[in-house]
Amino acid sequence: MKQLLAFILLNSCISVQAQNCDCLTAVKSLEKAYEANLASYQHQVVEYDRKYDYQVHKKAINEIAKRITATKDCIGLVAKYQSFFRDEHLFIAYKEGYYPYQSVTDTLSIKQAFAKEERLSNPPDYESIDKRIEGRWYFQDASFAVDIIPHAGINSEWAAILVTDNPPFWFRGQIKMELMRDAESHLNALYWRNSRSPKYFNVSINDSILELGKQFKFYRTKEKALFAKSKLSDTLSFKQLSEKTTYLRIPDFDGSLGDTIDSLVENNLTAIQQSPNLIIDVRNNGGGSDRSFRALLPLIFQNRIIPDPYTASVWVSPENLHYYDSTKYEYAETAADSAEGVAYVAALQKQAGKFEPILFSTDTLDFTYDYPQKIGIITNRKCASTTEGLVLLANESKKVIQFGENTSGTVSYGDWREIFLPGLPIWVSCTTKKMTFFNGKDIEQIGVEPKVKLNPEQENTWIEQVQYELEH
């Protein structure tokens, strides 16, 4: 009987539609875990001396949590709490097996899982709060549209509801986004992804474009959304654009692509070296492994000795130390690897209660190439993590000019681990490392700024613009 009662209490919030959620307990559990273990908390709150600001944010979150009874609202509040930290590796995910499908190809199960959610109707006449916000908006690839209407909720003043069915994940009238103003009247949004994991964004509205941070855009007309829709290839490729300029498209630095990228460069090295200009297009490249961009470095640099773009430092809390100890053999393939893992954990133990010492290093290339003489690297807001490390590093070369728009700003923290919250069907990430950059910059949520900025609404012409700039 006691076991049955414990099971019922533990699962009191398990359904997203549940109305008996103890949100305050879940949120306080998260706060305690982050304050003890989160690298970005130690960096931004403790080292930057922002404890007062954090306490104000925390108090406001807890006051809202006291009023929440629905699990979905509580999950949304968790995202709002996370938003205090400029840490793009913080996210929310659902526990394994929570949703009754294993793959996005299982469309029938997905439909059955999400078709039951609450739906709102768009009233023909409603009392407007702000016409600049309200009305119809089309997503950046024109794949769906929402109507933003006044809707008073725990996390919202407005709701963005789907105009039409967009199966298998979404159906007409469901809430795709909740918008609200903060205490300083800044507009923010809680955006629900297909998986129903929420993300909290700052919102800006300019020239009939509604932007969620640097990740998503909505347009007032379908025509504008279709015009702005990216035609960028997601395939690794090489092109000879002219006698003067060659082009490498590298959409991913996943560790499994290292040999493929090496081969792409090697197979086209003669053409690259016979042209004075090279364009390296890393737009939409979310990162991966440093190993995968190794073949580009001899083309980019003139000097063989180059700095590492950043160094990582673990926040050594007891729980983080246990995490590293429990995973020290995870990637070990040899006895030497295992010994190295044991030695690393032993070194961490000596730094208990603080960050590891910051130690910068350099790398020595075996060789470099004189040609190409000029390299244009094209970036956009979807360049993240390892890709940003490459761009930071490449900008130290006199050969390189960065074009486009700021990168994502998703590189300052990493090596996350899971934290489960009592009574909620989710887990949250907790970053354990901070990155310190060799140039001293802080780019989290800011990104690496290009030397030559290009209009993001004309992104489909960027290759031609960069080619012209390099050749003239």
Side-chain angles (χ1 to χ4, degrees):
M1 183 66 180
K2 288 181 179 179
Q3 290 179 334
L4 177 60
L5 179 59
F7 177 82
I8 293 171
L9 290 173
L10 181 64
N11 291 275
S12 61
C13 293
I14 287 301
S15 169
V16 168
Q17 305 301 321
Q19 301 295 318
N20 58 346
C21 177
D22 184 359
C23 188
L24 185 60
T25 296
V27 168
K28 283 188 172 182
S29 173
L30 174 58
E31 292 165 351
K32 182 179 179 180
Y34 272 8
E35 289 164 16
N37 303 293
L38 183 67
S40 50
Y41 173 86
Q42 294 298 325
H43 186 206
Q44 297 174 23
V45 177
V46 178
E47 291 186 2
Y48 285 2
D49 193 21
R50 296 187 63 214
K51 291 181 181 179
Y52 175 79
D53 294 339
Y54 172 73
Q55 290 300 328
V56 170
H57 177 75
K58 177 179 171 180
K59 181 179 179 180
I61 292 294
N62 289 347
E63 288 300 317
I64 298 172
K66 292 175 184 177
R67 308 197 311 268
I68 287 179
T69 59
T71 298
K72 181 180 179 182
D73 289 337
C74 191
I75 294 172
L77 188 65
V78 168
K80 187 173 183 178
Y81 167 73
Q82 288 180 321
S83 71
F84 180 86
F85 309 102
R86 290 189 303 111
D87 186 343
E88 287 298 305
H89 282 90
L90 296 185
F91 59 90
I92 296 169
Y94 286 84
K95 293 178 181 178
E96 185 177 356
Y98 174 73
Y99 283 119
Y101 60 88
Q102 299 297 320
S103 167
V104 293
T105 61
D106 187 3
T107 56
L108 179 60
S109 295
I110 294 171
K111 287 179 182 179
Q112 291 174 343
F114 294 127
K116 303 172 185 177
E117 288 183 0
E118 174 191 13
R119 305 190 193 193
L120 300 178
S121 60
N122 185 356
D125 298 306
Y126 56 79
E127 186 175 345
S128 174
I129 301 175
D130 190 335
K131 292 182 179 179
R132 189 174 60 103
I133 300 169
E134 294 152 2
R136 184 152 299 180
W137 294 91
Y138 293 84
F139 190 58
Q140 58 196 23
D141 63 357
S143 61
F144 67 88
V146 296
D147 283 334
I148 297 181
I149 61 173
H151 177 69
I154 288 289
N155 290 312
S156 67
E157 294 176 70
W158 295 271
I161 60 174
L162 271 295
V163 173
T164 59
D165 289 350
N166 192 21
F169 290 96
W170 293 99
F171 298 89
R172 180 179 180 181
Q174 291 180 338
I175 298 175
K176 180 67 175 174
M177 180 168 56
E178 299 171 77
L179 298 97
M180 71 293 292
R181 288 174 292 206
D182 61 21
E184 298 177 348
S185 296
H186 298 141
L187 189 62
N188 302 288
L190 197 61
Y191 182 84
W192 296 90
R193 302 178 188 273
N194 287 350
S195 64
R196 298 315 192 258
S197 295
K199 177 74 174 176
Y200 195 82
F201 291 101
N202 297 323
V203 178
S204 62
I205 301 177
N206 297 295
D207 299 326
S208 299
I209 302 172
L210 185 151
E211 294 191 65
L212 304 184
K214 294 166 63 179
Q215 289 196 26
F216 302 115
K217 293 183 181 181
F218 288 82
Y219 295 84
R220 273 299 189 188
T221 67
K222 188 173 184 179
E223 289 72 25
K224 285 187 176 181
L226 287 169
F227 177 78
K229 183 178 180 180
S230 176
K231 299 178 177 65
L232 188 63
S233 169
D234 59 0
T235 303
L236 191 68
S237 62
F238 169 83
K239 290 181 183 178
Q240 182 85 46
L241 298 181
S242 71
E243 290 183 357
K244 295 182 178 180
T245 306
T246 55
Y247 171 86
L248 284 171
R249 170 69 183 129
I250 307 180
D252 197 344
F253 283 131
D254 186 82
S256 64
L257 295 174
D259 290 342
T260 306
I261 294 173
D262 289 353
S263 296
L264 180 70
V265 172
E266 184 178 350
N267 293 340
N268 296 286
L269 188 57
T270 300
I272 292 171
Q273 290 188 298
Q274 289 177 348
S275 304
N277 307 313
L278 169 65
I279 296 173
I280 302 175
D281 190 342
V282 292
R283 285 178 288 172
N284 299 353
N285 188 327
S289 169
D290 295 1
R291 156 70 183 88
S292 293
F293 63 63
R294 186 80 184 173
L296 301 176
L297 299 182
L299 298 169
I300 291 172
F301 287 96
Q302 295 169 308
N303 297 322
R304 289 176 54 214
I305 298 176
I306 59 174
D308 284 340
Y310 47 77
T311 185
S313 180
V314 173
W315 168 248
V316 191
S317 68
E319 290 179 43
N320 288 348
L321 180 61
H322 174 73
Y323 165 73
Y324 281 96
D325 186 41
S326 65
T327 59
K328 62 180 178 288
Y329 301 127
E330 189 170 340
Y331 298 106
E333 296 180 356
T334 65
D337 291 340
S338 298
E340 185 177 337
V342 171
Y344 181 61
V345 171
L348 287 180
Q349 287 176 326
K350 296 177 182 179
Q351 306 299 328
K354 54 187 176 182
F355 279 107
E356 285 180 283
I358 296 170
L359 300 172
F360 285 102
S361 61
T362 58
D363 192 11
T364 302
L365 302 176
D366 293 334
F367 52 85
T368 60
Y369 299 112
D370 292 334
Y371 267 66
Q373 294 176 316
K374 290 195 290 186
I375 297 175
I377 296 183
I378 308 180
T379 63
N380 65 3
R381 65 186 60 199
K382 293 184 179 181
C383 295
S385 195
T386 302
T387 305
E388 294 178 281
L390 170 65
V391 176
L392 274 171
L393 189 59
N395 281 342
E396 296 298 304
S397 171
K398 294 179 180 179
K399 286 185 175 186
V400 170
I401 303 172
Q402 181 188 348
F403 294 85
E405 62 181 348
N406 284 35
T407 61
S408 171
T410 312
V411 70
S412 295
Y413 306 97
D415 273 18
W416 54 264
R417 61 182 181 84
E418 300 173 350
I419 290 180
F420 293 87
L421 305 183
L424 291 179
I426 60 170
W427 56 266
V428 298
S429 63
C430 175
T431 51
T432 63
K433 285 183 179 179
K434 72 171 180 178
M435 313 299 169
T436 302
F437 301 97
F438 71 96
N439 57 13
K441 292 184 177 180
D442 179 0
I443 65 167
E444 191 72 2
Q445 293 187 345
I446 299 169
V448 186
E449 184 176 0
K451 183 175 182 179
V452 180
K453 292 188 175 183
L454 302 177
N455 186 345
E457 301 308 311
Q458 298 175 356
E459 189 172 349
N460 289 321
T461 67
W462 281 8
I463 297 172
E464 291 80 6
Q465 289 184 57
V466 174
Q467 180 183 351
Y468 180 85
E469 290 292 330
L470 293 177
E471 293 182 358
H472 294 82

